[in-house]
Amino acid sequence: MSDVIKFKLRKDELVMLALVYFYLMLCPFNKVEESFNTQAIHDMIYNTKYLYYYDHISFPGSVPRTFMGALAVALPTGTIAYLTQCSKAVTYSLARMVLGLYVVWSFSTFRRAVKKAFGSPTANCLVWITCSQFHFMFYASRTLPNTFGMCCLLLSTAYWINKEWESFLWCSGFGVLIFRSELVILLGPMLLLELLSRKLNLHELITPGLQTAGIILLGCCSIDTYLWRYTVWPEAVVLYYNTWLNKSSDWGTQPLLWYFYSALPRAMLLALPLAVVGCLKDRRVLNFATPALIFVVLYSLLPHKELRFVLYAVPLLNVAAAHALSPIWNKGYFAKLVVLAGFSAHLLCCGLFLSASYHNYPGGPAFQALHEQAPCSQNTTVYIGNYAAQNGVSRFGERCESLFDRRWNYVKTEDLSVETIKNFDLLLVEPKEVHHFRKTHSVVEKFHAYAGLKFSKEPPFVLTKKKEAVYLLKTKKTKKTVDVRNS
């Protein structure tokens, strides 16, 4: 275990960390899937013990989420923010940097275990393949439950390779019971393979497993219960809501094989066919990749699908790809050229994915521009429409509000009437809603979102299409006549 917990990054892994931070700086805003942890981190840093003002009290969401990931990020981030007295925007970047560091450190631990099992060439290729893929690196700093689950998965897989079962139980317990319950169908087959090969005794697993689960649930659920103000095991509620009730389908569905023909090809690119070669080449690699394949097959049964749901399988499948790639590099100059051409193709795809992501958070720049319309010393009411709230707006962007100085009042309550919204000083609304406010507000600025790709006959040949997504409106009144602070 001492070898696994070393906090040490190689030069190529420092490149990985730099790439995570590069994506973070170009896409500094968050989407609705990240909002719970983002707001929780904010409240733990800036509201501390004032639970009444926590965002989840006013906007609990459809299901409760655990605070454990937010707590792990908020503790070091809050310390740095307190010592440096930096702005909220900088604090949010620091929080994501901390999370990115957790992921890269977990990956480094995973890489060392892969090196032990398959050798240095495979481990080195694994790092460079992962760096050349967009989605793993992009999500590494995003405050999704899946990202916290990824840390647990990478560490658990390292312990699985090293046959350190007690540590495996602890990491997998946190991953399954606290962050993402679906990890059980990835981590479970790992244990099953060991049991079938008789490398692990069932009696050695049951008692420690139950003890570990009990301690994790008692400790973590106590914290979540306190913060939610009622007895709750969040991940159990999420599992019941999304799987048993199938409520996740309300957010859209995809065909059965969507993960295989769309999600994994986008996430892995040329590494996907290489992974097939690696599995055919070496039975050890096939055994290693089998849990990931089982996971994707079983998870495909759920109608609601998103790429991030199966991103856990990518590091394991990348090991198979790296094992196939590592001997090719040493087969002459032509082989090197082919490999470099493949990496160039990956980088081109990363550029396209990044361009789409860069334009995918219009609420963020709109929220920044909104604060230029009035001084923080002036009493100002702000209405944040649903689209902006889901695509870039967070409490870290609130420049003009603190716990004890609330001259600016930010309201994102849904289903307010048009007549009520007209009384706000500043609005962030969708284009289809602007006509309601032509008489009371003027358009300050329009903000655009990603709307697909278009091809051109001239360089750079592929361009990003954009559409109007968020309008910033400002009241025409010089003085408010209606108080909307309690709307």
Side-chain angles (χ1 to χ4, degrees), residues 466-482:
K466 292 179 284 186
K467 63 180 179 181
E468 293 180 354
V470 177
Y471 275 60
L472 168 57
L473 307 183
K474 185 176 182 178
T475 183
K476 294 179 181 178
K477 300 178 183 178
T478 57
K479 184 178 180 180
K480 293 193 296 292
T481 58
V482 181

Side-chain angles (χ1 to χ4, degrees), residues 191-259:
L191 287 179
L192 184 60
L193 287 172
E194 299 300 321
L195 291 170
L196 292 175
S197 63
R198 298 188 179 181
K199 296 178 182 178
L200 181 65
N201 191 305
L202 187 60
H203 296 291
E204 298 174 347
L205 181 65
I206 294 178
T207 301
L210 291 175
Q211 291 174 344
T212 301
I215 294 171
I216 290 173
L217 287 176
L218 180 62
C220 297
C221 290
S222 297
I223 295 173
D224 287 326
T225 292
Y226 170 75
L227 291 171
W228 279 106
R229 303 195 298 184
Y230 62 88
T231 303
V232 65
W233 172 11
E235 194 55 28
V237 178
V238 173
L239 178 65
Y240 175 75
Y241 182 87
N242 287 336
T243 305
W244 183 260
L245 298 180
N246 196 27
K247 290 291 186 178
S248 61
S249 295
D250 295 344
W251 283 268
T253 62
Q254 296 289 351
L256 180 65
L257 299 179
W258 183 81
Y259 285 134

Side-chain angles (χ1 to χ4, degrees), residues 8-28:
K8 181 180 179 182
L9 299 178
R10 289 158 37 100
K11 290 181 180 179
D12 52 1
E13 290 161 349
L14 290 174
V15 171
M16 174 180 285
L17 187 63
L19 190 56
V20 170
Y21 291 169
F22 172 72
Y23 288 149
L24 185 163
M25 293 305 172
L26 286 182
C27 303

Side-chain angles (χ1 to χ4, degrees), residues 58 129 254 290 449:
S58 301
I129 286 174
Q254 296 289 351
T290 295

Side-chain angles (χ1 to χ4, degrees), residues 20 99 154 181 248 258 276 306 330 354 385-386 417 429 437 487:
V20 170
L99 179 55
L154 292 170
S181 56
S248 61
W258 183 81
V276 176
E306 295 183 39
N330 298 317
L354 179 59
N386 188 48
S417 68
V429 295
F437 311 105
S487 297

